[in-house]
Amino acid sequence: MKMALLYIMLIVTMAIWGFNIIAIKLLVSTFPTLTITTLRVFIAFISILPLLFIRHSWKKISRRDGLYLLGISLTTIVGHQLFMSVGLNYTSAVNGGLILGTVPIVTSVGAALFLQERFNIHKVTGFILGFCGVVVIILAGSDYRFNISIGDLLFCCTVIVQVIGFIFVKKISNSVDTLVITGISQFFGGILLIFVSMVFEPDGVYQLDQGDWTVWMLFIFSGVIATGAGHYLYNLSIREIGAGKSAIFLNFTPFFSILGSYFFLKESIVLGHWVGFLLVVMGVLFSTGIIQNSLRRSKYRDQIDRVKSS
């Protein structure tokens, strides 16, 4: 796959995921949270099921890969969807989207610890900046009182489980087809979510008549496009360019979630949100090595200019 096409695909995916936070906020405000989350995951699985048979992607999966697939189901599907959906009941879409902006930083740290990628002062600096950005965002959402909401904590958990899942995807992306990884994880994740929703929302199915057609259109967008196609495209990018580089593009997600929160949910955006966002962006630039590489190229160009002038 050409890099330019892959990068465009990633940016589009990030825009979809950014606006998906707005869609989920509206969905969990209308329907029982766990029930609608379970349905979203299942419709995502159903949307990519025909491709699994058309492409004949199935093959025997080793025990090792099977364990990783179970881990992906528990993290990127069950954990990620539950923490995000429930968290949006207790915090704003602005806060949630900005906290998710730390995923590239945490992914960079996780890749260094578990994928043997280099860990240096730049990544440490990026992690510190990103952590400070999250603190500022949380304080801005609570009128600058140190009063972290349960929703913000749940979004921090969302970041952690999502990064763990990305690492698992990278571990098996060379031996298991990306479409199979996405399909199986969504299927088993959906099964697990059924049990969770039956325990905590036994009457949830009977409350699904509360929304109008516009809310159900958001449901289809969130399930089919954001959860189904979005996860497949991102898992494909992890296989093509790695977990660390793919995570760089996740920095676009909070930008689109801020725009969506402002225009569609009428949520307020204060100076602290922008300061926190800037810190997160700086953290991403440091932790992913973009600043370091830019300095090296600048130094290299200066050396060439000096040689030419002499």
Side-chain angles (χ1 to χ4, degrees), residues 22 37 77 87 93 126-127 131 153 221 239 265 290-291 304 307 309:
I22 317 305
T37 300
I77 304 301
F127 182 81
F131 177 78
L153 282 176
F221 162 77
R239 187 189 72 182
L265 299 180
I290 292 176
I291 289 182
I304 292 178
V307 170
S309 62

Side-chain angles (χ1 to χ4, degrees), residues 30-33 35-36 201-211 216:
T30 307
F31 303 111
T33 301
T35 303
I36 199 66
E201 292 177 353
D203 299 324
V205 175
Y206 303 105
Q207 301 175 41
L208 294 177
D209 59 349
Q210 299 173 0
W216 284 108

